Amino acid sequence: MSDVAPQLPKAYEPSAVEADLYADWERAGLFHAEPDASGEPFSIVIPPPNVTGSLHVGHALDNTIQDVIVRRERMRGKNAVWIPGTDHAGIATQMVVEKQLAAEGLTRHDLGREAFLERVWAWREESGGTILRQLRVLGCSPDWEREAFTFDEQRNRAVTKVFVDWYAQGLIYRGTRLINWDPALRTALSDIEVEHREITGELVHFRYPLVDGDGASDADGGIVVATTRVETMLGDTAIAVHPDDERYRHLVGRSVRHPFVEREIPIIADDYVDPAFGSGAVKITPAHDPNDHAIGERHGLAMLDVMDDAGAMSEAAGPFAGLDRFAARAAVKEALDGLGLLVEVKDHVHPVGHSQRSGVIVEPRLSDQWFVAVRSLAERAAEAVRDGLVTFVPERSARSFLEWLDGLHDWCISRQLWWGHRIPAWYGPDGELRVQAEQPEGEGWVQDEDVLDTWFSSQLWPFTAFGWPDATPELARWYPTSTLVTGYDINTFWVSRMLMAGLAFTDEVPFRVVHNHGLVRDEHGKKMSKSFGNVIDPLDLVEAYGADATRFALLRNAAPGIDVPLAEEWVEGAKRFVNKLWNAARFTISNLDGQRPGALPPEERRTLEDRWLLDALAAMHAEVDTAYDAYDWPVVARGIYRFVWDEFADWYLEAVKDRIYGDDVEAQRDARAVLAHVLEMTLRLAAPLLPFVTEAAWRPLTGSAGGAASLMAADWPEAAGQVNADARSRFAIVQGLVREVHRFRSQLRIAPSVRIELDVEPADATARAVLAEHAGLVRSLAGLGRLDVVDALPERAGSSSIVFPSGRASVPLEGVIDLEAEAARLRTERERALADVARLDAKLANEGFVSRAPADVVAKEREKRAAAERAVDELTARLAAFGVDA
RNA sequence: GGGCACGUAGCUCAGUGGGAGAGCGCUGCCUUCACACGGCAGAGGUCAGAGGUUCGAUACCUCUCGUGCCCACCA
C-alpha cells in the first residue's frame, strides 16, 4: 500500500463519523434552501409526526425515503426544500396528558380547561422536538430553519380562515346527526376514526306484545324482533316490516306495547327491511342506529336518546337508568325473559365499530356537531386524480382512493376535547350564532366549547407549511409540492383531505405525486407491537449498525405500497455491505498515490477489465436512475449493492491488482484513473441512500475538505453515453474459465497455494483471441502457474480436464488428487449431460416447437444440445483417461 | 358483504411465454498483501393446487385452497 495512503480505518465505524459529517453539512447550510435560488423548484413537506412522540421504524422508513428523494434532487441541481414540522395531534396528545394526570389521581376536569391546556403546553415544551432531533441521527436533511407546527400562531390563523370561509360557503354546517360517539373519551369521532372488528355477540329475539291483542291467535301474541344490542330497545319508537311481507301485512298500522316504559310503538312498513333476516321484523331505534335513524326520518318517528355521554343508560331508559350499556344489555335480556318475552338467543358474528383511539366500542348517537359537507370537495378531488393532476406510486393506490372518495359521508369535525383548535363560533345572549375569527363586540358572547378534529389542521399542511394564508415567496416558489411520501394507511385520513382542502383554497393540487410505502413489520410480516415483543427501535439500529445500514436495510425491502419486513440481523447484513463499500474505497484511495478522479484513459489504453467495468457501471447507472425516478427502492439498493460487491470489488479490484502493483507506470496511471472515476461515480450514485459512508470516502478520494465541497453538494452524474457491450461478453469468457478453475480446485481439494498449470483449447476464434490476449489476467485471477492456449489439448497421462463455457482445458496433476473421487464426480457430470441431451432431443423433435418458436430460440436450443453432447464426449474421454468405465 | 395484494430455496424476496435466481442461514476449504463485517466453492426448489390457452406455462386466463390488508349502517 502506498505510504501516502490516508489513515483510513480498516473497518468502517459509523459512530465515529456520522455526527461530525452531519454537523458539517448543517454548518455549511446544505439543508437550507431559499426561494430565490436558481434551479427548478422541488419541495416535500414532512408528514408531521406527533409533536410529543418519538421516532419509530415507520417514521424512519417514511423520512429516509423523503431524505433520499430530496438529496438526489438537490444533487440534480433543483432548488429543493424539505419542510420539517410537527402535529399537535389532538386526541392522541390529550390522552397522554390525561394519563399523566390519572397517575396523580386527577382528571382534566379537576384542573379546568385553562390549567389543563397549560399542562399540555408544558408537556409539549418538555417532549416536543425530540422526534425531530431523532431524525438527525438517521441523516435526514430537512431545512431546519423552516420548522412549522400545526398549532402555532401562523397555522392557527389558517385554520380559522378555512373554517370561517367554508362556513360562509355553506361547506361547514352545524347539525344534529347520528355520529360515532366514543363513551370513554366522551367525544364525537369521524367515520374513519372507527375501526370495525369482527365480534361474536348475541342475536336476541324477543316479542313485543300487541296493544289490544287478545292473545288468542299467534299474530295477536305479538311480533318478534331480533337485535344484537338489546338495550337499545329502550329507545325503540317503531317496528318495521317489509311492505310486501305477507306475514306481517295485517299488522301494519297497529301498535305494540313497550314492556318497560310507558309507550306504544307503531308497526310500520319500509323497504329497507330484509324479510329473510331474523324474524323479518325490525325494531327501530332512531337515536342509536344509522339505519333506524334513516327510517325514523322517513316516517317522522320520535328520536329517543336513552344513553348519556359515558355510555350509561339515561333517565329515558326508565327502570334501567344508570346502568352501563353492557350491564343494561344483560339486564334487559333477563327482564324480557322474566316477562316471557324472550324468544331465542343465538351467537352472532358481526363487525362492531371500535374507537381508533380508546379502543372501546363506539356508540352511534344523536348529537349536535359541526360537519364539513364533503360532496363537492370530494368530487373535485376525484376529478384531479382522474385527470392525472395527482399520480400515485404505486398506481393501484389511486383506484382505492377514488372508490373511497366516492362513498364519503360528511365529515364530523367537532371534538368534545380541549387540546386543539377551538371552533371559531360564538353564541350570543339571544341565541344568535356567529362564525368569525374574533369574539363579537358586545356582552354575553360565548365561544363554542369544542375543538376541531386534528386532521382539520393537517389537511392544510402542504400550504400552511409555506406560510399560507399569507402570500409568501416560499408559497409562490414551492407550492404545489412535488411529492408526498406516506404510508398507504393514511391516504384516507390525510391525503384525501389535503387534496380536497388544497383544491378548495389554492385551486391547485397540493402535491403532484403521492408515493405510498408500506408499513414496517417484523421479519415474518407480523405487525410490530409491544405485546408481541417484536418492536425494533430505529435508534438502537443506528447506534449498533450506523445510519447508512439502517437506511439501506429499510429501503432494500420497501417496494412501493408493499409492507416492509425488517429484522435486526438484516441491518447487520446491510452494515457488512457498508463496510464492503468502505473497504473497496479504502483500497482504491490507498492505491491512487494522490491521483484524483479525472479523465479516463483513452479508449485504446483501456484494458478488457476496464471496459467491462465501465460498461457495468453504465448499466448500473441507468438501472438505478430509472429506479430512483420510480421510487423503486429495492431496485436502487440491489443495483448499487450488486455493482459494488460483485462487479467492482470481487472482480475488478482483483483484476486491477496486477497493474496497480506492477512497474509499468503508464498502466498504473491508467488503472488508477479508472479506479478513481468508477469509485467517484459510485459514491455519487449511492450518496442519497448512504449519505455518510459515501461522504466519508468522498473526502479523501477528492481531497475535499467538506463543507460546501461535500459530496452532498456535488452534482448528480449524467447518464454515461456509450457503453461497450462487447467488453461484457469478452470478459465473460475470462470469468467463465476462472470460475471453473476455482470450482476444480474446490472439488479436488487443491490448496490455493498449489499453482496449477493449464493448457487451454478455446471453443472458437473469439475465445482464442480473448484468452491469448488476457492470459496474464486469467493467470492472476485463477492463481495459475502457467496458461498456454493450444490448438488441441495434449494427451497426457495423469492429467484432468476442465470444461468451461468457451472451451476446455487440461491440468497435469502429478498425483496430487484423489482419482477415485474425481472419477465419481466425472460420472455424475456425464449422467447429467446425457439427461440434457435426451431432454433437448425430445424438444427439438417436437415439430410444433421447431416451426412455431422464434428462430433464435430454436437456434439457442440447438446450441445447448450440441454443447451437452460435446460435454458427454469430453467426460467419456476423461473417464477413459482415468482408466475408468463410464 | 365489496375490493386489493400476495403464495418461488429453511427465512426474506427478485424474475422472464423457451428447464429457475439473489441476500441471509447451512456445509466444506482458505489467517491470499482492501475487507474474516472477508474470499472461493457446495447442498437445498413437483415456482400453493386443479383446469384452460399454447408447440411449450413458474410466468397469461378461470377456479379452488391459504395468507395479509383496506372498505362496509342489514337488525
Side-chain angles (χ1 to χ4, degrees), chain A residues 300-370:
Chain A
L301 301 175
M303 315 245 167
L304 203 60
D305 187 346
V306 292
M307 287 183 206
D308 65 18
D309 63 1
M313 308 313 289
S314 67
E315 289 307 316
F320 299 94
L323 282 181
D324 174 76
R325 52 190 170 145
F326 300 113
R329 182 170 300 175
V332 168
K333 191 173 78 174
E334 198 175 318
L336 283 168
D337 200 16
L339 293 172
L341 296 172
L342 191 65
V343 175
E344 188 183 17
V345 177
K346 281 198 280 199
D347 278 355
H348 183 64
V349 180
H350 63 138
V352 176
H354 291 67
S355 166
Q356 184 195 39
R357 288 295 164 191
S358 69
V360 302
I361 292 177
V362 162
E363 205 58 44
R365 189 175 188 224
L366 204 55
S367 178
D368 222 9
Q369 302 288 343
W370 291 90

Side-chain angles (χ1 to χ4, degrees), chain A residues 40-52:
Chain A
E40 197 185 320
F42 183 92
S43 56
I44 292 183
V45 290
I46 194 174
N50 183 337
V51 65
T52 63

